[in-house]
């Protein structure tokens, strides 16, 4: 320990090896999520997922717009299409509807997303979420080409 008189004050300095370990909560203590956003009035999903999150159209969004999908996979012997796309978190970005137009040579699928009406006073975080939805076709896909209706 070193003592020094500096401008009428006694200053003590000590050094004895490693600092004391930080106190840890018991292993049985529950993990509580911490939010730092005082503006959010409701929960927004923030947990990253390993596979696309299945969603269904709500049909009641505001600021509705077309969204490009990244993958269209035929299922149920070509009678359905499983669509995958990147989006934002709910309730800030939700699927409004899916429009399917079928012809003899192609199937055009357009996704529409918007904001849920209940998200009016919610702060929206900017995080990407992979989502998926499945639509039924009027007739099996066969050799028809699948086209994204949101692409220009």
């Amino acid at each position: 320990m070193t003592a020094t008189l500096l401008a009428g004050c006694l200053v003590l300095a000590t050094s004895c090896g490693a600092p004391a370990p930080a106190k840890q909560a018991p292993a049985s203590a529950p993990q509580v999520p911490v939010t730092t956003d005082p503006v959010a009035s409701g929960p927004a999903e923030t947990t990253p997922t390993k596979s696309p999150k299945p969603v269904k159209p709500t049909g009641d969004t505001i600021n509705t717009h077309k969204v490009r999908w990244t993958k269209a996979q035929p299922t149920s012997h070509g009678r359905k299409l499983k669509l995958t796309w990147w989006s934002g978190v709910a309730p800030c970005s939700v699927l409004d509807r899916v429009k399917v137009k079928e012809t003899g040579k192609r199937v055009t699928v357009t996704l529409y997303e918007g904001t849920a009406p209940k998200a009016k006073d919610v702060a929206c975080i900017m995080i990407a979420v992979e989502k998926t939805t499945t639509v039924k076709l009027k007739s099996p896909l066969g050799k028809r080409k699948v086209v994204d209706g949101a692409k220009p």
Side-chain angles (χ1 to χ4, degrees):
M1 176 164 52
T2 305
T4 306
L5 186 60
L6 183 63
C9 295
L10 181 63
V11 177
L12 296 174
T14 63
S15 176
C16 296
K23 290 183 182 180
Q24 295 182 355
S28 63
Q31 297 295 323
V32 178
V34 177
T35 179
T36 59
D37 187 359
V39 180
S41 63
E45 63 188 57
T46 58
T47 306
T49 57
K50 293 181 181 172
S51 60
K53 177 182 170 98
V55 296
K56 292 185 178 182
T58 63
D60 64 347
T61 65
I62 54 177
N63 300 322
T64 308
H65 57 279
K66 294 177 182 181
V67 177
R68 289 181 168 187
W69 44 264
T70 56
K71 186 164 116 179
Q73 179 180 5
T75 63
S76 300
H77 303 287
R79 296 185 189 281
K80 295 180 181 180
L81 283 175
K82 181 179 179 181
L83 301 154
T84 306
W85 72 101
W86 286 97
S87 180
V89 296
C92 303
S93 295
V94 294
L95 182 62
D96 182 85
R97 66 186 182 277
V98 181
K99 180 181 173 186
V100 181
K101 181 181 176 186
E102 297 185 48
T103 66
K105 294 190 178 191
R106 64 191 201 171
V107 176
T108 303
V109 184
T110 310
L111 299 177
Y112 292 87
E113 277 195 343
T115 304
K118 69 179 182 179
K120 193 176 196 181
D121 297 323
V122 174
C124 298
I125 62 171
M126 299 297 284
I127 186 170
V129 178
E130 192 173 29
K131 296 180 182 179
T132 185
T133 196
T134 302
V135 295
K136 293 179 185 177
L137 300 177
K138 291 179 184 175
S139 59
L141 182 61
K143 296 186 182 215
R144 296 184 291 172
K145 182 179 179 181
V146 181
V147 178
D148 187 346
K151 290 186 178 178

